[in-house]
């Protein structure tokens, strides 16, 4: 690439900036140009594709395009035990067929699949980073095909390394005391970067002793439960009761992380909720949409804790994945402690599924006893 001649030098050519721009384009339903060495491909979200764009892509594809689907979606289409993503050839960019394969609940495979390439995998990762369904149209192109087109171009290495770069670039951008009900000595610390598309927040309750193991909860944002008191989950209970417990037991740190819907985003969470209302289990509903058990990453959460001076934690969680992630990031987990919500008729199946399918440490007998009326 020639040396930048712009007013801003090379400051707008970093990997993070390029992927940020690619995410914005992808979420808006516009094609993004992916580069793998000397190979180029246009990629477009399958759920956001429209007729006008598809006509242009079809002319470029000349029968060589394909649809990339995640392993989870392929299993739902009938590829039992599938562990890898794959592609369907698109002799024509047929929106009806794409919608069926990518979105329809009762769809089945209509042709053999081929293995996904490195470009295809990067396109799926771009979809996940953009919080849209992991189903993408990919069109291999030549330089001459797209000359003069106003496309955002990004290398697949930049997409694949984006999460790690975001974690490494985390920084504190604001902090202030915010007294809470039941926890008046509380400080909010805002970090720029990490997962999702917004800032991350650390809530420091009281004055935790950083020389010993600090009580810590990694809490993924749940708009429905945390804010509106949804009965479909136990998130709001866990959030408020953790803060209350920390205030009464020497303090602690709660990380409020932008990972709505187990990292799938609010729109996909609502899609999954609709499927659940039709009888699907929470994890089966996610698989129908193309997602595995849990899309979240917690390495950036460990970076937040380190910047707050925390090196050893008491993990307040029922999720063994969070414990493993904290340890893998180089922090000591001195102990763990369960965080119980309140079971009800709407969430008891959800809680049992987390225990049985994702290995969460949930004692249903203890939960039901907690919900039982007392004299």
């Amino acid at each position: 690439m020639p040396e930048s001649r712009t007013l801003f030098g090379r400051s707008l050519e970093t990997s993070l900036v390029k992927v940020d721009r690619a995410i914005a384009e992808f979420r808006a339903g516009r094609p993004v140009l992916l580069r793998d060495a000397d190979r180029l491909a246009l990629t477009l979200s399958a759920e956001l594709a429209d007729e006008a764009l598809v006509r242009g892509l079809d002319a470029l594809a000349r029968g060589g395009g394909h649809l990339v689907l995640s392993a989870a979606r392929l299993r739902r289409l009938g590829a039992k035990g599938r562990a890898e993503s794959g592609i369907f050839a698109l002799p024509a960019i047929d929106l009806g067929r794409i919608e069926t394969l990518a979105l329809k609940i009762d769809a089945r495979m209509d042709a053999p699949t081929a293995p996904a390439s490195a470009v295809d995998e990067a396109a799926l990762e771009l979809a996940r980073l953009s919080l849209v369904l992991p189903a993408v149209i990919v069109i291999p192109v030549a330089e001459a095909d797209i000359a003069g087109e106003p496309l955002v171009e990004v290398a697949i290495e930049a997409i694949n390394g984006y999460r790690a770069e975001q974690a490494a670039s985390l920084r504190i951008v604001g902090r202030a005391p915010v007294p809470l009900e039941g926890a008046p000595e509380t400080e909010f610390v805002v970090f720029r970067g990490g997962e999702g598309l917004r800032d991350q927040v650390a809530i420091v309750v009281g004055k935790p002793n950083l020389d010993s193991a600090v009580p810590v909860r990694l809490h993924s944002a749940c708009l429905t439960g945390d804010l509106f008191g949804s009965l479909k989950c136990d998130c709001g209970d866990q959030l408020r009761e953790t803060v209350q417990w920390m205030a009464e037991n020497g303090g602690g740190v709660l990380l409020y992380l932008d990972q709505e819907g187990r990292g799938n985003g609010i729109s996909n969470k609502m899609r999954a909720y609709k499927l659940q209302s039709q009888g699907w289990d929470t994890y089966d509903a996610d698989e129908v949409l193309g997602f595995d058990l849990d899309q979240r990453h917690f390495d950036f959460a460990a970076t937040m804790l380190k910047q707050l001076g925390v090196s050893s934690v008491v993990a307040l969680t029922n999720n063994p994945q969070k414990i493993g992630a904290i340890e893998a990031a180089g922090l000591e987990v001195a102990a763990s402690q369960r965080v119980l919500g309140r079971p009800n008729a709407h969430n008891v199946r959800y809680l049992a599924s987390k225990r049985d399918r994702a290995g969460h440490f949930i004692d249903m007998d203890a939960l039901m006893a907690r919900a039982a009326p007392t004299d």
Side-chain angles (χ1 to χ4, degrees), residues 190-212:
V190 180
F191 291 77
R192 181 70 39 79
E195 291 288 295
L197 300 173
R198 296 186 296 275
D199 295 336
Q200 315 295 335
V201 181
I203 295 95
V204 182
V205 181
K207 298 291 184 184
N209 181 4
L210 300 181
D211 294 326
S212 61

Side-chain angles (χ1 to χ4, degrees), residues 171-350:
R171 65 191 189 281
I172 294 173
V173 294
R175 59 195 307 164
V178 181
L180 303 178
E181 183 177 2
E185 190 178 9
T186 298
E187 182 184 30
F188 276 48
V189 184
V190 180
F191 291 77
R192 181 70 39 79
E195 291 288 295
L197 300 173
R198 296 186 296 275
D199 295 336
Q200 315 295 335
V201 181
I203 295 95
V204 182
V205 181
K207 298 291 184 184
N209 181 4
L210 300 181
D211 294 326
S212 61
V214 176
V216 167
R217 173 163 176 77
L218 312 185
H219 188 95
S220 297
C222 176
L223 175 70
T224 50
D226 297 342
L227 184 58
F228 292 100
S230 167
L231 298 177
K232 288 184 64 66
C233 64
D234 57 344
C235 303
D237 287 344
Q238 291 181 313
L239 174 66
R240 282 174 278 278
E241 292 184 19
T242 294
V243 171
Q244 183 73 39
W245 183 90
M246 288 177 176
E248 296 171 352
N249 290 272
V253 178
L254 184 144
L255 302 186
Y256 196 77
L257 308 175
D258 178 21
Q259 295 181 320
E260 185 82 43
R262 289 195 289 268
N264 301 335
I266 187 66
S267 61
N268 292 318
K269 177 179 175 177
M270 290 302 107
R271 288 174 167 143
Y273 271 14
K274 184 172 183 179
L275 291 172
Q276 290 174 46
S277 73
Q278 298 168 357
W280 295 83
D281 166 272
T282 179
Y283 294 110
D284 287 335
D286 280 352
E287 189 174 68
V288 167
L289 299 173
F291 298 108
D292 284 314
L293 285 183
D294 200 325
Q295 301 291 130
R296 291 174 293 179
H297 300 259
F298 296 104
D299 49 350
F300 72 96
T303 301
M304 293 169 67
L305 291 172
K306 291 175 183 177
Q307 290 193 23
L308 292 172
V310 176
S311 59
S312 178
V313 309
V314 176
L316 307 182
T317 183
N318 305 323
N319 186 349
Q321 181 185 350
K322 291 181 181 179
I323 296 172
I326 294 171
E327 292 176 326
L331 296 177
E332 177 192 23
V333 178
S336 64
Q337 183 174 310
R338 306 290 76 84
V339 183
L340 299 178
R342 292 171 294 176
N344 60 66
H346 301 278
N347 71 14
V348 66
R349 183 186 180 196
Y350 164 79

Side-chain angles (χ1 to χ4, degrees), residues 79-96:
K80 293 185 178 180
R82 183 74 177 242
E84 303 293 335
S85 53
I87 67 171
F88 288 95
L90 296 175
I93 311 298
D94 180 346
L95 274 184

